[in-house]
Amino acid sequence: MKIAVLGATGQTGQYLVNQALQQGHTVTAIVRNPAKLTVHHDNLKVVEADIFSADSLKTHFKGQDVVMSCLGFPASFFSGVSGYTLSMTSMISAMREARVNKIITMTSWYTEPNSGAQSSFLIRFLLLPMIRSVLTNMHEMEKLLHNTEDISWTVVRPPGLKNLQASAQEFLTHEGYFVPDGSGLPVGSAVGRGDVARFMLSLLNSNAWVNKGVAITTK
């Protein structure tokens, strides 16, 4: 397939680009700083664009089969985070103009404000408040996609991320804001970035999670 990747220089994005190329896809990596992407491949085109401008993106979206986003924005205590919604708004607009109708993006477990109630004490009272500004904007972006009827979307929600290559482990999935065990408590707390990329790419040939948010982890 022809894939436009945003966030390609980020930690998860680099795994996604490499795996997509290994699987024989043609990748257009849309980046702010091309020097940051050290991969070279005949099927890889690296282009510079402004992720907050639909005009800047639409040229690079033309002819693509799917847009995949691994964009991430840092937490902010003082001002809210807005990068997720602003970039998604420009992506959706550019996709409409370029006639691309499929997007796969990633957020996180616990984006919905009350979904962390079953999590461990440390996560609930220490980690989640620290990243609440990010989770809030991720959730706003998810709602934006929910209200987008002309584009096929999937939101992949991983828990904590580790810098690990893809494994062969089986995925556990749940349509919700975390993966529960039999008693409704969260299963596991971290997953390898390579596995997140592996799951996102598995959606290219599947309609399993179209227009849904799916929480994932590995067994």
Side-chain angles (χ1 to χ4, degrees):
M1 285 195 184
K2 293 179 181 169
I3 308 172
V5 179
L6 290 96
T9 57
Q11 291 172 300
T12 308
Q14 292 192 45
Y15 284 110
L16 185 78
V17 168
N18 278 304
Q19 289 179 35
L21 292 168
Q22 285 163 16
Q23 291 175 21
H25 301 295
T26 301
V27 177
T28 300
I30 299 171
V31 298
R32 271 177 303 203
N33 181 359
K36 272 178 133 184
L37 198 62
T38 52
V39 190
H40 298 282
H41 195 283
D42 289 347
N43 288 341
L44 173 66
K45 183 178 171 191
V46 183
V47 298
E48 206 171 333
D50 176 3
I51 55 171
F52 301 116
S53 161
D55 280 348
S56 181
L57 291 174
K58 70 180 181 190
T59 321
H60 307 301
F61 283 4
K62 279 190 181 131
Q64 306 288 350
D65 296 310
V66 61
V67 173
M68 302 185 82
S69 174
C70 298
L71 288 169
F73 300 91
S76 166
F77 283 109
F78 304 108
S79 57
V81 174
S82 59
Y84 293 97
T85 40
L86 291 175
S87 59
M88 185 55 70
T89 301
S90 62
M91 279 187 261
I92 290 169
S93 178
M95 286 172 70
R96 285 176 176 143
E97 290 195 51
R99 308 218 166 157
V100 181
N101 69 354
K102 185 178 177 76
I103 184 164
I104 297 163
T105 188
M106 61 179 282
T107 57
S108 170
W109 279 21
Y110 305 129
T111 51
E112 198 278 323
N114 300 313
S115 59
Q118 301 297 318
S119 61
S120 70
F121 183 88
L122 273 178
I123 287 177
R124 190 175 175 189
F125 294 106
L126 192 67
L127 176 67
L128 294 183
M130 283 171 66
I131 60 168
R132 178 53 61 197
S133 59
V134 165
L135 296 173
T136 297
N137 196 228
M138 283 178 166
H139 192 47
E140 288 165 349
M141 180 185 82
E142 291 172 346
K143 287 191 282 191
L144 184 71
L145 286 168
H146 270 283
N147 294 326
T148 304
E149 293 176 1
D150 55 331
I151 281 168
S152 150
W153 55 270
T154 302
V155 171
V156 176
R157 300 186 181 115
L161 297 170
K162 297 184 285 194
N163 277 328
L164 293 174
Q165 297 279 354
S167 70
Q169 287 174 290
E170 201 181 318
F171 286 107
L172 299 171
T173 57
H174 181 71
E175 187 181 349
Y177 297 97
F178 62 91
V179 178
D181 65 10
S183 59
L185 295 173
V187 177
S189 59
V191 67
R193 292 177 188 275
D195 280 329
V196 177
R198 175 169 69 99
F199 185 82
M200 289 175 77
L201 286 165
S202 76
L203 299 172
L204 294 178
N205 305 311
S206 156
N207 290 324
W209 299 102
V210 171
N211 297 348
K212 289 178 179 170
V214 54
I216 67 163
T217 191
T218 44
K219 265 196 171 172

